[in-house]
Amino acid sequence: MRTLLIGVILAAVASAQWVNYPTPGLPRTQDGKPNLAAAPEPSFFGYSSGKWEGDTLVVQTVGFRDDSWADAGGSPLTASGKVTERFRRPNYGRLEIEITVDDPKAYTAPWTVKLNQRILLDSELLEFICVDNEKNRSHLVGK
Amino acid sequence: MTWHLARLAGLAAIVSGQWVHYVTPGIPRTPDGKPNLSAPAPRAPNGRPDLSGIWKAPNGKYLFNLAADLKPEEVPFQPWAAALFQQRQDNLAKDRPTGRCLPHGVPDQMGVPGYPFKIVQTPGLVVILYEEMTHFRQIFLDGRTLAKDLNPAWLGYSIGRWEGNTLAVETTGFNDQSWLDDPGHPHTAALRVVERFRRKDFGHMEIQITIDDSEAYTRSWTVTENFNLLPDTDLLENICENEKDFQHLVGK
């Protein structure tokens, strides 16, 4: 804690342009002070824990943001959502992921989809930075 | 500043979050249950030191000036690099990439004291997960070499090898956009960074960093940074929301 405070002071000295700049997303009390006793920030990826059931890895995730999208089309996912993923690798090159969305705020019953993924061999991830901030959005159209 | 406040907000999450008081497995402890951070560094099953854990810079010394241990006149700038550095100073470093949610680079991301990073070590691959902006690095220990013509990247391409108890990591293939530190020590795409990771004991790691960029500096230069293990906590999600900071920054 003391180290953090020293860090804050050092930061203020080194980059004065951010002094008194309100941190986005910081929970606050009614008088505007930081509310350090608030619940943690919900997150895009939530909080996941897993366990093995035989050859299947069962992962449960909660703690999503209330404004999440469950797919690119916009199926809602809310802070009440619980997602269960069951990962099974039936052979070397395939991965089945059975996904159950249980979100009583958005849906009247849990629903399940199954993804079939193929392994990518002799390749590697490339760096992707959403570098062109806000350069796409102005070109998108809606109604 | 925002980073550090964000970290304070992070403390709130630690106090009341998902994994409150969740005790990190495998940490040696004193009889009263506190982490024994001066215990010997752990070993991986293959006998190498295990660097795995959550690490944090103790302060912002090297973020605020990677050349903090050099006298200003000792920084071996090429003339154009000295001029660019001065220009960034004169402009209060307003155009620092992180102001627009663009990444820190190698090595300055590790030096951000407000955001820890997590090392996940396997025999053939070491992954570094950076809390800030949820970026990551992969360090390959599988014997591959660095290609000559790499698509330029913010965090480059890293390979590593063990030299005794030290993990020596070489990184090339950078773009010329990242800054070496917050004030803006520049580099070019010719940058080659060598990092030597040495876990001195359970709770302390030293990383010796050599900056080798003959286009920006007349000779290579080296700094040594120290990091502390953060026990009994975990990384938090951090997403940099576009362009909310930048409008508040001022320059000249």
Side-chain angles (χ1 to χ4, degrees):
Chain A
M1 188 65 184
R2 192 169 157 218
T3 312
L4 283 169
L5 288 173
I6 292 169
V8 169
I9 293 164
L10 282 174
V13 171
S15 52
Q17 63 269 45
W18 283 322
V19 174
N20 298 325
Y21 178 65
T23 303
L26 182 61
R28 293 178 186 281
T29 58
Q30 285 191 337
D31 58 2
K33 290 180 179 159
N35 179 9
L36 299 184
E41 286 289 297
S43 61
F44 283 95
F45 288 165
Y47 302 83
S48 300
S49 59
K51 64 175 191 294
W52 287 99
E53 291 181 0
D55 290 339
T56 301
L57 177 65
V58 182
V59 177
Q60 292 206 326
T61 306
V62 296
F64 296 105
R65 290 167 54 121
D66 207 39
D67 60 353
S68 297
W69 290 33
D71 55 30
S75 299
L77 181 65
T78 76
S80 72
K82 182 175 92 177
V83 173
T84 303
E85 297 157 287
R86 299 174 63 86
F87 293 81
R88 198 172 75 84
R89 187 171 180 170
N91 60 30
Y92 194 89
R94 286 182 49 223
L95 186 69
E96 293 175 356
I97 312 174
E98 185 189 275
I99 303 168
T100 299
V101 176
D102 182 2
D103 184 349
K105 187 171 162 186
Y107 304 99
T108 57
W111 50 281
T112 298
V113 295
K114 193 164 166 185
L115 306 185
N116 283 291
Q117 310 283 13
R118 277 185 293 186
I119 197 166
L120 279 185
L121 296 172
D122 300 337
S123 184
E124 198 38 75
L125 301 185
L126 293 173
E127 181 176 275
F128 174 76
I129 307 291
C130 196
V131 58
D132 294 323
N133 288 351
E134 302 294 24
K135 291 187 182 176
N136 282 339
R137 195 161 188 274
S138 62
H139 298 281
L140 301 179
V141 292
K143 280 183 183 169
Chain B
M1 184 71 174
T2 51
W3 308 325
H4 304 286
L5 284 176
R7 195 61 208 159
L8 290 178
L11 278 180
I14 291 163
V15 169
S16 58
Q18 294 289 336
W19 284 302
V20 181
H21 308 310
Y22 184 74
V23 174
T24 306
I27 292 185
R29 295 179 186 272
T30 55
D32 60 1
K34 289 183 180 162
N36 178 4
L37 298 178
S38 57
R43 296 273 166 178
N46 65 2
R48 300 297 187 184
D50 189 352
L51 308 180
S52 298
I54 298 178
W55 300 94
K56 189 180 93 65
N59 54 52
K61 178 180 174 184
Y62 296 100
L63 175 68
F64 300 143
N65 181 7
L66 188 66
D69 294 333
L70 303 179
K71 293 175 186 158
E73 64 273 18
E74 290 174 350
V75 182
F77 285 120
Q78 298 282 7
W80 72 267
L84 178 58
F85 183 63
Q86 187 59 49
Q87 181 188 327
R88 288 171 175 173
Q89 295 301 284
D90 293 344
N91 199 28
L92 305 179
K94 182 197 176 196
D95 294 321
R96 181 186 303 145
T98 50
R100 284 194 294 272
C101 294
L102 294 170
H104 284 276
V106 177
D108 70 324
Q109 179 67 76
M110 292 189 299
V112 180
Y115 288 112
F117 56 95
K118 184 176 197 169
I119 296 182
V120 181
Q121 180 174 322
T122 73
L125 176 70
V126 172
V127 178
I128 302 182
L129 303 172
Y130 297 119
E131 181 174 88
E132 186 172 22
M133 300 188 221
T134 319
H135 291 149
F136 67 91
R137 272 173 80 194
Q138 299 190 89
I139 300 165
F140 295 98
L141 280 69
D142 57 3
R144 72 183 66 193
T145 54
L146 291 166
K148 287 270 187 289
D149 186 20
L150 293 159
N151 191 32
W154 287 87
L155 296 167
Y157 301 81
S158 299
I159 57 172
R161 66 177 188 276
W162 287 99
E163 295 178 357
N165 289 330
T166 299
L167 177 67
V169 177
E170 180 182 0
T171 306
T172 59
F174 292 101
N175 66 26
D176 60 1
Q177 301 298 301
S178 70
W179 294 15
L180 291 180
D181 54 15
D182 267 6
H185 277 95
H187 71 81
T188 72
L191 174 65
R192 172 176 166 270
V193 177
V194 175
E195 298 156 289
R196 297 175 61 82
F197 293 74
R198 192 167 69 86
R199 187 169 183 167
K200 296 191 290 186
D201 60 19
F202 200 91
H204 303 89
M205 183 160 62
E206 176 189 278
I207 308 179
Q208 186 193 79
I209 300 158
T210 298
I211 303 296
D212 179 5
D213 181 352
S214 60
E215 292 187 18
Y217 301 96
T218 58
R219 58 173 173 79
S220 63
W221 50 289
T222 297
V223 299
T224 301
E225 300 187 33
N226 284 285
F227 298 86
N228 298 325
L229 184 81
L230 287 189
D232 300 340
T233 185
D234 217 306
L235 301 185
L236 296 171
E237 181 175 281
N238 173 259
I239 307 292
C240 192
E241 295 191 53
N242 293 355
E243 303 294 24
K244 291 192 179 176
D245 281 351
F246 192 67
Q247 59 184 314
H248 298 280
L249 301 180
V250 292
K252 282 180 184 164

